Amino acid sequence: MYKVCSRCVMDETDANIKFDEHGVCNHCHKFDEVQSLQLFGGVDGKTRLQNIVDKIKKEGAGKEYDCIIGLSGGVDSSYLAVKIKDFGLRPLVVHVDAGWNSELAVSNIEKIIKYCGYDLHTHVMNWEEMRDLQLSYMKAAVANQDVPQDHAFFSSMYHFAVKNDIKYILSGGNLATEAVFPDSWHGSAMDAINLKDIHRTYGSKPLRDYKTISFFEYYFWYPFAKGMRTVRPLNFMEYDKREAEKYLQETVGYRSYARKHGESIFTKLFQNYYLPTKFGYDKRKLHYSSMILSGQMSREEAIVKLAEPLYAADELENDIDYFCKKMRVNRQQFDELMQAPIHDYSDFKSWDKLQGIAKKSQVFLQKILGRRLSVYS
């Protein structure tokens, strides 16, 4: 049996977890000491967010768009899209179709765009390249199978922002529901070096249309040469995910998904079957632990919800069948992929050393300047 934190529900499936003498884990201490200070509610949050909005409007004056947001159809990005309408911002909304959108996600996106009156640019990925890259990741048997989709999502946003001279990227990412995330589970989805090495090892066709973001672009070119900034507005609101979903239902007719990440058929299968079956990782623990720490859920409620099955048997079979047909693999090949020996992302080339140098440089500059430097969240 794994030892479980006495305050949240994280356990020793995180190989690097540590507990104090009271059984409280390092994720809880990190939240108390660092992350809770980055959450702003009430009048303070409204004032800080209004100042950010005013700055975005000022710097975007005279341009067609003053910011850019990515819309997946999930609760976080959907709520953000609706709320920034109230601030009078003029976003370019980008949606990346990697081939796995559920019909419900498409419907929710259409409702939000219609309600807000935004311009939507949908970037449809080259399916043959995406399929080849995703199969490469399955053959590599690394934990984060969502990298091909996630990297494409962020890459598209950054490239569209540069093309349209937009300085501010608004992200639905938030600490209220995403504060807990163990580094031991997998590396960064932004690591193009890792992505290319995995594809080079297992892929069968060149990635001509699939655009990546290099380490130099992500850490230096975009933030310093282009002056781009990523802002997480939900951290400046008293964000409650369940209340946000209810608000979306009442405001735009948003329809809920059966489970987290139901907007992507692939991500649903990856998080609810592949990860727990192959690696023993249950991402609900991260989500519920974050909600416990931000006061949205009790530990007792989280324990009850974790006892619920990740999949109904018939739903799982339907999703596996859909996956096999779309990826053009048979069930035996799928089972072989599930049984393949696992790898850590670090078994392939990565940007970890470069990232270490960048972080040391950041600390050095902070000491010289006497202030905190934070470009990307």
Side-chain angles (χ1 to χ4, degrees):
M1 291 291 291
Y2 292 114
K3 182 177 180 179
V4 183
C5 175
S6 61
R7 180 177 169 190
C8 69
V9 289
M10 273 307 297
D11 59 25
E12 291 175 317
T13 51
D14 171 13
N16 297 332
I17 198 169
K18 296 178 181 176
F19 302 96
D20 66 15
E21 65 274 19
H22 303 293
V24 178
C25 76
N26 55 297
H27 297 290
C28 293
H29 289 299
K30 180 181 179 181
F31 181 85
D32 291 340
E33 296 164 8
V34 180
Q35 294 169 318
S36 63
L37 302 178
Q38 298 168 16
L39 284 171
F40 306 95
V43 176
D44 183 34
K46 290 180 181 178
T47 301
R48 288 172 181 267
L49 184 54
Q50 188 61 58
N51 289 338
I52 293 172
V53 168
D54 291 343
K55 188 175 182 181
I56 293 173
K57 287 182 177 179
K58 182 179 179 180
E59 295 187 19
K63 299 179 182 178
E64 187 174 7
Y65 308 105
D66 51 25
C67 59
I68 188 170
I69 64 172
L71 183 59
S72 67
V75 174
D76 298 341
S77 65
S78 298
Y79 185 74
L80 174 62
V82 173
K83 292 304 289 184
I84 65 171
K85 178 179 183 291
D86 299 335
F87 287 100
L89 291 173
R90 297 174 289 107
L92 170 63
V93 181
V94 175
H95 173 70
V96 178
D97 182 357
W100 295 100
N101 285 351
S102 66
E103 292 181 6
L104 186 52
V106 174
S107 174
N108 281 335
I109 290 170
E110 289 176 349
K111 290 175 180 177
I112 291 161
I113 294 300
K114 182 178 180 180
Y115 173 82
C116 296
Y118 293 148
D119 288 341
L120 172 68
H121 184 96
T122 299
H123 178 56
V124 180
M125 300 295 295
N126 180 318
W127 171 244
E128 291 305 316
E129 291 186 6
M130 177 59 71
R131 172 182 171 275
D132 189 61
L133 183 56
Q134 289 189 304
L135 277 177
S136 298
Y137 267 74
M138 290 290 287
K139 292 173 182 176
V142 292
N144 194 357
Q145 293 292 315
D146 248 345
V147 168
Q149 289 189 118
D150 287 348
H151 193 97
F153 175 78
F154 291 112
S155 173
S156 296
M157 276 214 300
Y158 293 134
H159 290 311
F160 275 113
V162 170
K163 182 179 179 181
N164 290 276
D165 192 27
I166 298 172
K167 304 295 184 185
Y168 289 92
I169 296 174
L170 304 189
S171 167
N174 65 92
L175 291 172
T177 63
E178 300 170 344
V180 175
F181 197 93
D183 293 337
S184 67
W185 280 24
H186 52 68
S188 171
M190 299 307 299
D191 189 345
I193 296 174
N194 199 238
L195 181 149
K196 289 179 179 179
D197 194 42
I198 288 174
H199 182 256
R200 189 182 302 113
T201 305
Y202 295 102
S204 61
K205 62 171 62 222
L207 300 178
R208 293 193 175 94
D209 294 331
Y210 188 100
K211 304 299 181 185
T212 59
I213 298 178
S214 70
F215 178 85
F216 175 77
E217 286 174 320
Y218 185 68
Y219 276 99
F220 299 99
W221 182 251
Y222 290 144
F224 297 112
K226 293 296 183 180
M228 291 168 61
R229 295 292 182 268
T230 299
V231 179
R232 294 184 169 190
L234 298 184
N235 285 342
F236 297 86
M237 307 176 190
E238 293 178 346
Y239 183 60
D240 184 300
K241 191 152 192 165
R242 285 178 284 199
E243 288 299 316
E245 189 168 357
K246 182 180 178 182
Y247 174 83
L248 287 171
Q249 291 168 348
E250 295 172 348
T251 306
V252 302
Y254 186 91
R255 292 170 58 201
S256 300
Y257 305 102
R259 59 185 76 249
K260 184 174 171 61
H261 287 303
E263 67 271 19
S264 168
I265 297 169
F266 178 85
T267 302
K268 182 174 72 165
L269 183 64
F270 153 61
Q271 291 201 1
N272 296 299
Y273 178 69
Y274 177 90
L275 270 184
T277 302
K278 198 171 180 70
F279 287 85
Y281 300 162
D282 185 344
K283 277 203 166 184
R284 295 179 302 176
K285 294 174 184 176
L286 314 185
H287 180 58
Y288 295 159
S289 291
S290 299
M291 293 180 72
I292 291 168
L293 294 175
S294 60
Q296 297 183 55
M297 179 183 284
S298 69
R299 186 173 184 273
E300 291 71 27
E301 182 184 358
I303 291 172
V304 170
K305 291 182 75 66
L306 283 172
E308 296 173 358
L310 281 159
Y311 254 117
D314 57 343
E315 182 186 9
L316 174 60
E317 285 304 311
N318 286 337
D319 285 355
I320 292 175
D321 184 59
Y322 181 87
F323 173 88
C324 290
K325 288 179 179 177
K326 191 167 183 65
M327 296 293 281
R328 301 198 294 275
V329 298
N330 58 42
R331 184 55 185 264
Q332 181 181 343
Q333 290 171 317
F334 175 81
D335 290 339
E336 288 172 354
L337 288 171
M338 287 297 300
Q339 294 162 11
I342 64 174
H343 289 101
D344 188 73
Y345 83 94
S346 60
D347 293 335
F348 304 90
K349 294 179 181 177
S350 74
W351 73 4
D352 285 0
K353 289 183 179 178
L354 292 173
Q355 193 177 46
I357 293 171
K359 289 190 177 296
K360 287 179 181 178
S361 300
Q362 180 188 28
V363 172
F364 178 71
L365 286 173
Q366 285 179 162
K367 289 181 179 180
I368 292 176
L369 298 174
R371 60 184 176 86
R372 182 173 176 268
L373 292 176
S374 180
V375 178
Y376 283 102
S377 299

